[in-house]
């Protein structure tokens, strides 16, 4: 399957890794919208959050747990952060492998996000 994030998880496309566990891989967004902008990607290919149902809803738990862990690791847990999931065209989704954006590091209103 020709999926950019599957290739990043496999290491076929380079990325700046932030965190990895059995379920997720996380890396810095190539075009950051805030001082901290990390993408957290499930290792299972799912097109978007809209396609989660039944057993694979556990992926949301894995993404959320990783977001909290990474926020602590990067020092934005106390200052605050935003997690975003874009699903589909009107949300501006451009990569059709589910990913959670983790944004923080400054007042996000200053960055128009
Ligand atoms: P979305 O608009 O929610 O689909 O977000 C896709 C995100 O992937 C955007 O914020 C892009 O900047 C980011 N992105 C695209 N290609 C890469 C890449 N090779 N490495 C890291 N981030 C990327
Ligand atoms: Zn994929």
């Amino acid at each position: 399957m020709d999926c950019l994030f599957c290739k990043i998880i496999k290491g076929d496309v380079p990325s700046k890794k932030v965190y990895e566990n059995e379920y997720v891989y996380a890396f810095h967004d190539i075009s950051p919208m805030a001082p901290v902008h990390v993408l957290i990607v499930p290792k299972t290919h799912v097109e978007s959050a809209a396609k989660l149902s039944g057993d694979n809803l556990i992926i949301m738990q894995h993404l959320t747990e990783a977001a909290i862990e990474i926020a602590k690791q990067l020092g934005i847990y106390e200052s605050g952060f935003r997690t975003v999931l874009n699903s589909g065209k009107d949300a501006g989704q451009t990569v059709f492998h589910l990913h959670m954006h983790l944004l923080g590091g400054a007042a996000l209103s200053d960055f128009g996000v």
Side-chain angles (χ1 to χ4, degrees):
M1 187 193 323
D2 194 28
C3 169
L4 175 61
F5 288 174
C6 282
K7 287 178 184 161
I8 284 178
I9 293 164
K10 275 202 274 174
D12 292 347
V13 169
S15 66
K16 288 198 210 161
K17 177 172 151 179
V18 172
Y19 177 83
E20 182 174 15
N21 66 22
E22 186 180 350
Y23 307 110
V24 306
Y25 182 84
F27 51 100
H28 290 288
D29 195 291
I30 205 166
S31 176
M33 307 271 287
V36 173
H37 187 172
V38 169
L39 301 176
I40 308 165
V41 174
K43 290 187 173 176
T44 305
H45 180 94
V46 178
E47 194 176 299
S48 75
K51 298 292 170 76
L52 292 173
S53 65
D55 283 354
N56 69 8
L57 277 166
I58 190 82
I59 287 172
M60 287 304 301
Q61 182 176 329
H62 297 146
L63 294 174
T64 302
E65 284 173 345
I68 294 166
E69 179 58 33
I70 295 163
K72 288 177 179 168
Q73 186 183 306
L74 298 183
I76 61 167
Y77 180 78
E78 298 294 342
S79 51
F81 57 90
R82 181 179 297 159
T83 52
V84 176
L85 300 172
N86 293 323
S87 297
K89 180 169 63 69
D90 281 359
Q93 186 178 5
T94 56
V95 179
F96 291 87
H97 179 132
L98 172 59
H99 50 281
M100 179 178 274
H101 295 257
L102 172 66
L103 297 149
L108 295 176
S109 53
D110 294 346
F111 294 85
V113 294

